[in-house]
Amino acid sequence: MMSPAVLTRRAAPVLACIGLLAVWQVASLALKNDSFPTAVEAVRAIPDILGDKESLTNILASLRRMAIGFGVAVLVSIPLGLLMGRSRAIAAFFNPLLMVIYPVPKAALMPIIMLWLGVGDVTKTLVIFLGVSLPVIYHSFEGAKAVEEKMLWSGAAMGLSPAQRLVRIVLPAALPEILTGCRTGLVLALITMITSEMIARQSGAGNILFNALDMGQYDTVFAMIIIVGAMGICLDAIFERVRARLVRWSEPQFDMPLSFS
């Protein structure tokens, strides 16, 4: 049987969501605006969306693009960040490029990328890749930079090559920081996924949302916002469980509960 403290901690996110829906319901009834449906109307529209084969296919296509963009970004960004953290020459080369790209909103790059690659999946996946890469590179860099030199000297004394030291010493030591960057990148992947689909409107969850807006189906618009929010919560909860298992040895005494995990 769970203790009251654990029960309260697990119930808190649910209660917060219920409270938000209650505030939404009251505000909608008070304003009486056709473009601001009640929470009940939005929630009732969710089964219609998820029960529609075309809408479900669009949502699954969004998740597929998000998974590819996130996966490729992680595979590229972690090694680059680790190398930058251990080599001043590599950091000096890539840092100006990253500083130029970092402040630019990824949505602003969409028109240029669309001119080059069209409006298909490649364009949207590339935007997701760019959105995810920077936080993963930064946290990988910080994690690698924080590794004690004594550990690397010990590895060198044992005959490990620079590549072996990077994989067997730097990577495990930097893993908690890397996973923090991946968790941030996961949220940004969801944001850039929806943004790219709103601009290049062919398919996906963002396309459903804007099509409903164009047709004045405001209950569907808000229902899609709820669905996207639920997707973010579920993905974060799954990732947090995996992260907690991988770096259980470095868990802090208290962390901000960002999900239902």
Side-chain angles (χ1 to χ4, degrees):
M1 186 176 179
M2 290 187 293
S3 66
V6 174
L7 187 61
T8 301
R9 180 172 63 84
R10 293 194 174 184
V14 177
L15 294 175
C17 289
I18 293 173
L20 179 61
L21 290 173
V23 172
W24 175 1
Q25 181 74 13
V26 172
S28 178
L29 292 173
L31 293 174
K32 296 180 180 179
N33 192 324
D34 292 338
S35 62
F36 185 29
T38 65
V40 172
E41 290 172 338
V43 171
R44 282 177 179 170
I46 293 175
D48 294 333
I49 296 173
L50 299 180
D52 180 63
K53 185 177 180 180
E54 184 178 352
S55 296
L56 192 58
T57 300
N58 277 298
I59 293 171
L60 292 176
S62 294
L63 291 173
R64 175 176 54 82
R65 284 189 286 265
M66 178 181 168
I68 294 172
F70 178 80
V72 174
V74 166
L75 291 175
V76 172
S77 302
I78 291 176
L80 179 58
L82 293 178
L83 289 170
M84 289 176 64
R86 300 312 312 172
S87 170
R88 290 189 177 183
I90 295 176
F93 178 81
F94 282 101
N95 191 58
L97 299 176
L98 296 176
M99 291 303 100
V100 169
I101 298 172
Y102 182 76
V104 179
K106 303 307 168 284
L109 299 174
M110 279 292 295
I112 298 174
I113 299 174
M114 286 167 61
L115 286 174
W116 294 342
L117 303 176
V119 294
D121 285 1
V122 176
T123 297
K124 298 168 189 174
T125 303
L126 179 57
V127 172
I128 295 170
F129 169 84
L130 293 173
V132 174
S133 295
L134 293 169
V136 178
I137 290 173
Y138 172 77
H139 284 277
S140 300
F141 168 79
E142 290 295 326
K145 192 171 65 172
V147 177
E148 294 184 6
E149 292 293 336
K150 293 179 181 179
M151 296 174 63
L152 297 172
W153 295 338
S154 298
M158 295 171 62
L160 296 179
S161 66
Q164 289 175 323
R165 293 198 296 271
L166 191 71
V167 173
R168 299 179 63 177
I169 297 176
V170 177
L171 177 60
L175 192 58
E177 187 73 21
I178 291 172
L179 292 178
T180 299
C182 291
R183 189 179 184 185
T184 304
L186 187 63
V187 176
L188 291 175
L190 183 64
I191 294 171
T192 51
M193 176 193 77
I194 297 296
T195 304
S196 66
E197 291 170 352
M198 287 179 176
I199 297 172
R201 292 170 54 185
Q202 283 190 326
S203 65
N207 182 53
I208 297 173
L209 196 154
F210 255 60
N211 282 342
L213 184 63
D214 288 343
M215 293 185 288
Q217 298 173 343
Y218 300 114
D219 55 342
T220 302
V221 172
F222 282 87
M224 276 305 304
I225 293 172
I226 295 174
I227 290 172
V228 171
M231 287 164 53
I233 290 172
C234 292
L235 290 171
D236 181 73
I238 293 169
F239 184 86
E240 179 59 13
R241 286 186 178 276
V242 174
R243 187 200 66 81
R245 288 184 178 275
L246 290 176
V247 293
R248 189 182 298 273
W249 47 271
S250 70
E251 286 297 286
Q253 294 297 317
F254 176 76
D255 192 14
M256 182 180 292
L258 298 179
S259 70
F260 288 86
S261 60

